[in-house]
């Protein structure tokens, strides 16, 4: 297909043309459709927020859909007190940040060796790492469980930090590659002439230039670890070291009929991410795109 | 000279080391271990493993109490639903937003939001939505005078899998939409304009220009949707854990039950291996289909 030459003189005409093409009736339908889908996306969350502020009497009195008659903010402190949730928050934060840091360091170093140093196995090694994108990680659950239990590491932070670091590694290397191949090779050579070895080049030249990738990888790895359930549920299901997803499951099992408390926990687990999203929406979206478009 | 290349080699190895340890320790080695265990009858407790060849694999598909076949069928149904309901919806939204309309950023951000919410929260929220007595769904149906449409939803053997699919769709439409949107935005405006001047309608532009160009993205989306359905676990675990009466079992719920409730380590490992094989086969088939089409 021959690409037509760009002709900027036409652009303004075409905008009008474009507008005319979409008839007002079609436009109305488009916006109705979008509004419906917006509602479908937001209403469940809004509803979750409303029932987190209700008492059971209100729910069972069949005020399920409406706003709370009296806003029971006390559900929140009570949920925090009863469910050990602050502890689980702390656990999730520690595990997630540690996994994020390990993934980032491992991916940056590996990508440097794969894209900036010339050697015979770089292509092959890269494609081996990329297998990690397709392999379902669940498949490794039993061997990892057996290893952890042999080491006596079940129900510990490292029981999740290590697998989680491995989870996002392939994607992190893929994202990192995208950033590192764009750096001109001359820079490495110049650094080399100035007496920088491989490590010097890595720390002083490449790392500073790859900084934009940190956020992209960090966000991806954060969400992977923060929301993970299967491994957390098997490896860290006992004691105080549960993560939020496992904690929520336990909480809900204990307070099954207490809608307000469960709602409060769900809201508290969700809103930090959503608030971060309000401020970082572009960055977060681009980290999802960066990973998948090449994959 | 020799010395120099040796040092270089050592350095390369050191740079790769952290990634290699993680990758081989958590991914590659465990997969080979699973492959090895899958040939044994082993309960994990005793050190005695009995070699039984491929018997785990044949039993997996023939035994009703193992239920892997049924679980696989369920996950394939989820895959079909994802590809033919979820992805077209995502594509529609992506095309609509990608051509540039008022409020584009707002809609994009809202539609992507569910992707960021933890699956456990989504599962718990939908448990409440589906609650037969106080869930918003039945309550609204009741208020509309449609009591005869009220259902047990997750408690109904026939409906449960469909009821599980809805939150799955809800969670991931935005994800696929975002990928496709990025693709649509990459289509040069010149090309669209040229086609419009030649008298193509909006639909024709999408059909003959935009969709062929974003095919690589569509391929990725289809692969993710299908392998994602094969691997589905979290949401099913929270919503039904395979029930009622095994109506919503998927391969992963069977695997976890075999491993950690029934202590059938050999059988569970065979399922793990089967999952890997299936994911690879489907990824290859889908890639081949997309290539042929081109």
């Amino acid at each position: 297909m021959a690409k037509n030459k760009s002709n900027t003189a036409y652009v303004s005409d075409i905008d009008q043309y474009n507008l005319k093409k979409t008839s007002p009736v079609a436009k109305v339908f488009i916006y109705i459709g979008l509004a419906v889908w917006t509602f479908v996306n937001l209403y469940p969350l809004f509803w979750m927020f409303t029932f987190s502020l209700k008492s059971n009497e209100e729910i069972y009195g069949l005020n399920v859909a409406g706003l709370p008659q009296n806003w029971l903010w006390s559900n929140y402190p009570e949920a925090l007190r009863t469910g050990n949730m602050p502890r689980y928050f702390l656990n999730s934060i520690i595990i997630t940040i540690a996994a994020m840091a390990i993934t980032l360091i491992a991916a940056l170093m590996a990508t440097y060796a794969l894209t900036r140093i010339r050697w015979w196995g770089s292509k092959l090694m890269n494609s081996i790492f990329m297998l990690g994108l397709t392999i379902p990680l669940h498949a490794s659950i039993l061997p990892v469980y057996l290893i952890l239990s042999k080491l006596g590491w079940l129900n510990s932070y490292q029981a999740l930090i290590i697998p989680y670091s491995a989870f996002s590694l392939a994607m992190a290397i893929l994202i990192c590659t995208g950033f590192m191949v764009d750096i001109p090779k001359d820079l490495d050579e110049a650094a080399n002439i100035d007496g920088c070895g491989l490590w010097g080049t890595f720390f002083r030249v490449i790392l500073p230039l790859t900084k934009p990738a940190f956020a992209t990888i960090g966000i991806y790895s954060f969400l992977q670890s923060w929301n993970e359930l299967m491994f957390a549920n098997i490896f860290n299901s006992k004691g105080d070291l549960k993560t939020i997803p496992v904690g929520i499951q336990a909480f809900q099992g204990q307070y099954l009929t207490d809608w307000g408390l469960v709602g409060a926990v769900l809201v508290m687990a969700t809103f930090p991410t959503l608030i971060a999203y309000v401020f970082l929406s572009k960055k977060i979206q681009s980290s999802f795109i960066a990973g998948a478009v090449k994959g | 000279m020799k010395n120099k290349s040796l040092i270089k080699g050592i350095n390369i190895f050191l740079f790769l080391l952290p990634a290699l340890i993680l990758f081989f320790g958590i991914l590659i080695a465990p997969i080979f271990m699973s492959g090895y265990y899958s040939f044994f009858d082993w309960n994990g407790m005793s050190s005695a493993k009995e070699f039984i060849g491929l018997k785990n694999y044949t039993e997996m598909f023939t035994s009703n109490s193992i239920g892997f076949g049924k679980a696989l069928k369920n996950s394939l149904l989820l895959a079909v639903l994802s590809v033919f309901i979820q992805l077209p919806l995502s594509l529609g939204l992506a095309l609509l937003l990608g051509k540039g309309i008022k409020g584009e950023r707002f809609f994009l951000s809202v539609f992507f939001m569910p992707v960021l919410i933890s699956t456990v929260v989504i599962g718990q929220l939908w448990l409440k939505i589906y609650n037969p007595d106080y869930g918003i769904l039945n309550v609204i149906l009741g208020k509309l005078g449609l009591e005869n449409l009220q259902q047990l939803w997750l408690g109904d053997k026939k409906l449960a899998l469909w009821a599980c699919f809805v939150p799955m769709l809800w969670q991931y439409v935005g994800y696929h939409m975002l990928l496709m949107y990025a693709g649509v935005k990459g289509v040069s405006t010149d090309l669209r304009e040229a086609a419009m001047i030649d008298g193509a309608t909006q639909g024709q532009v999408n059909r003959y220009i935009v969709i062929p160009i974003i095919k690589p993205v569509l391929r990725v989306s289809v692969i993710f949707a299908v392998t994602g359905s094969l691997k589905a676990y979290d949401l099913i675990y929270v919503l039904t854990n395979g029930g009622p009466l095994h109506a919503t079992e998927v391969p992963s719920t069977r695997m976890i039950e075999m491993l950690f409730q029934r202590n059938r380590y050999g059988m569970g490992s065979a399922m793990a291996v089967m999952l890997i094989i299936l994911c690879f086969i489907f990824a290859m088939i889908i890639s081949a289909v997309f290539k042929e089409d081109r």
Side-chain angles (χ1 to χ4, degrees):
Chain A
M1 204 183 315
K3 204 179 134 186
N4 288 44
K5 254 197 313 187
S6 105
N7 200 333
T8 38
Y10 274 118
V11 170
S12 58
D13 294 346
I14 281 149
D15 278 348
Q16 287 170 356
Y17 185 64
N18 208 337
L19 279 178
K20 258 188 259 158
K21 267 252 137 132
T22 318
S23 69
V25 183
K27 259 197 159 166
V28 169
F29 276 108
I30 286 173
Y31 277 101
I32 289 176
L34 290 173
V36 168
W37 193 246
T38 306
F39 178 80
V40 169
N41 274 276
L42 292 180
Y43 183 72
L45 297 173
F46 173 72
W47 183 61
M48 176 168 90
F49 180 64
T50 60
F51 78 69
S52 78
L53 295 169
K54 289 177 188 173
S55 65
N56 267 358
E57 287 73 44
E58 226 177 288
I59 301 263
Y60 297 155
L62 284 184
N63 177 20
V64 174
L67 286 170
Q69 272 142 14
N70 63 58
W71 296 54
L72 211 63
W73 290 103
S74 63
N75 279 337
Y76 283 77
E78 202 182 332
L80 282 175
R81 256 199 319 278
T82 47
N84 210 4
M85 287 316 278
R87 185 61 210 261
Y88 300 152
F89 259 96
L90 181 71
N91 295 338
S92 271
I93 290 170
I94 291 172
I95 290 171
T96 305
I97 288 180
M100 229 165 84
I102 295 174
T103 303
L104 190 60
I105 293 167
L108 285 167
M109 287 174 65
T111 313
Y112 177 71
L114 293 175
T115 60
R116 313 296 304 178
I117 308 177
R118 214 172 291 167
W119 59 291
W120 55 270
S122 60
K123 279 249 164 66
L124 176 72
M125 202 62 231
N126 192 44
S127 32
I128 292 177
F129 278 126
M130 287 310 108
L131 282 181
L133 294 173
T134 335
I135 297 174
L137 298 148
H138 316 21
S140 65
I141 194 166
L142 175 70
V144 175
Y145 174 82
L146 293 176
I147 296 168
L148 290 172
S149 85
K150 251 205 192 115
L151 292 169
W153 281 2
L154 290 175
N155 299 306
S156 70
Y157 284 142
Q158 64 267 34
L160 292 179
I161 291 173
I162 298 168
Y164 287 178
S165 317
F167 278 10
S168 342
L169 188 65
M171 191 60 99
I173 290 177
L174 180 69
I175 296 172
C176 232
T177 306
F179 281 89
M180 272 198 205
V181 291
D182 286 344
I183 303 171
K185 282 264 195 278
D186 306 354
L187 282 178
D188 300 54
E189 279 154 31
N192 205 348
I193 291 164
D194 289 346
C196 277
L198 289 174
W199 293 89
T201 314
F202 175 66
F203 281 112
R204 277 184 237 147
V205 180
I206 301 299
L207 275 196
L209 288 172
T210 323
K211 255 190 200 142
F214 293 13
T216 311
I217 295 170
I219 289 166
Y220 182 84
S221 144
F222 175 90
L223 287 166
Q224 290 283 308
S225 320
W226 189 260
N227 295 336
E228 204 278 339
L229 175 67
M230 188 199 263
F231 278 49
N233 204 20
I234 304 283
F235 297 168
N236 266 18
S237 59
K238 296 192 187 75
D240 276 341
L241 298 184
K242 295 188 189 84
T243 56
I244 297 173
V246 183
I248 293 174
Q249 280 297 101
F251 190 88
Q252 131 88 20
Q254 228 174 326
Y255 299 91
L256 186 62
T257 50
D258 210 324
W259 284 51
L261 289 187
V262 172
V265 165
L266 296 180
V267 170
M268 285 188 285
T270 308
F271 275 47
T273 323
L274 291 189
I275 287 165
Y277 179 57
V278 169
F279 293 104
L280 298 169
S281 64
K282 267 216 160 127
K283 195 88 211 163
I284 291 176
Q285 288 165 9
S286 69
S287 89
F288 276 82
I289 295 169
V293 168
K294 260 182 86 187
Chain B
M1 205 58 221
K2 185 110 202 258
N3 206 0
K4 212 169 172 188
S5 73
L6 183 69
I7 289 172
K8 187 181 159 193
I10 291 172
N11 274 324
I12 291 173
F13 179 71
L14 287 178
F15 271 113
L16 287 172
L17 192 61
L20 284 177
I21 292 174
L22 283 175
F23 198 68
F24 282 88
I26 302 296
L27 221 64
I28 305 293
I31 284 166
F32 280 102
M33 285 161 80
S34 290
Y36 173 75
Y37 296 149
S38 74
F39 298 120
F40 290 87
D41 185 15
W42 179 36
N43 66 10
M45 311 292 177
S46 67
S47 54
K49 300 191 189 83
E50 191 197 339
F51 182 82
I52 55 169
L54 291 171
K55 239 178 107 192
N56 281 328
Y57 291 92
T58 50
E59 192 189 346
M60 181 160 53
F61 287 104
T62 49
S63 154
N64 270 335
S65 91
I66 302 295
F68 189 80
K70 172 89 190 298
L72 188 59
K73 224 160 77 193
N74 284 342
S75 70
L76 288 177
L77 177 65
L78 292 177
V80 169
L81 292 176
S82 301
V83 172
F84 292 101
I85 297 177
Q86 182 183 47
L87 295 189
L89 191 56
S90 305
L91 181 61
L93 292 169
L95 289 171
L96 213 54
L97 295 180
K99 73 166 201 215
I101 61 166
K102 249 206 187 110
E104 182 182 335
R105 281 290 317 162
F106 169 78
F107 288 121
L108 188 75
S109 298
V110 170
F111 299 166
F112 183 69
M113 202 169 60
V115 179
L116 303 173
I117 301 172
S118 148
T119 309
V120 173
V121 171
I122 291 179
Q124 292 293 350
L125 174 57
W126 283 83
L127 273 179
K128 299 289 190 211
I129 292 175
Y130 283 135
N131 184 297
D133 300 321
Y134 309 108
I136 193 83
L137 195 53
N138 274 355
V139 167
I140 287 177
L141 286 173
K143 281 200 177 140
L144 293 174
L146 297 167
E147 279 90 352
N148 52 336
L149 288 182
Q150 288 179 338
Q151 302 288 347
L152 291 175
W153 307 114
L154 294 166
D156 184 320
K157 229 173 62 170
K158 287 200 198 80
L159 282 177
L161 192 63
W162 298 84
C164 287
F165 174 70
V166 173
M168 236 174 243
L169 175 116
W170 187 80
Q171 186 178 13
Y172 286 114
V173 161
Y175 176 69
H176 295 289
M177 175 207 67
L178 183 74
L179 301 190
M180 294 172 186
Y181 169 84
V184 172
K185 276 285 164 191
V187 176
S188 90
T189 36
D190 293 354
L191 220 52
R192 285 166 179 273
E193 282 159 8
M196 299 288 263
I197 293 169
D198 291 346
T201 63
Q202 204 53 258
Q204 284 168 329
V205 171
N206 284 336
R207 168 75 186 78
Y208 294 105
I209 295 176
V210 180
I211 291 180
I213 291 179
I214 64 168
K215 235 178 203 171
V217 183
L218 296 181
R219 192 199 63 163
V220 171
S221 267
V222 174
I223 290 179
F224 281 2
V226 171
T227 55
S229 305
L230 288 172
K231 294 188 280 191
Y233 178 77
D234 290 10
L235 198 66
I236 303 269
Y237 173 80
V238 176
L239 288 173
T240 61
N241 198 13
L245 294 169
H246 300 292
T248 57
E249 296 279 5
V250 285
S252 297
T253 55
R254 298 311 298 151
M255 181 185 83
I256 294 293
E257 191 193 316
M258 286 302 143
L259 291 175
F260 299 104
Q261 266 106 55
R262 292 211 215 166
N263 282 323
R264 292 200 55 181
Y265 282 15
M267 176 59 80
S269 300
M271 288 179 177
V273 172
M274 205 63 218
L275 260 180
I276 300 178
I277 294 173
L278 286 169
C279 282
F280 267 103
I281 290 177
F282 275 100
M284 264 153 48
I285 293 176
I286 294 162
S287 291
V289 168
F290 270 84
K291 254 192 203 120
E292 204 140 278
D293 233 32
R294 199 176 290 164

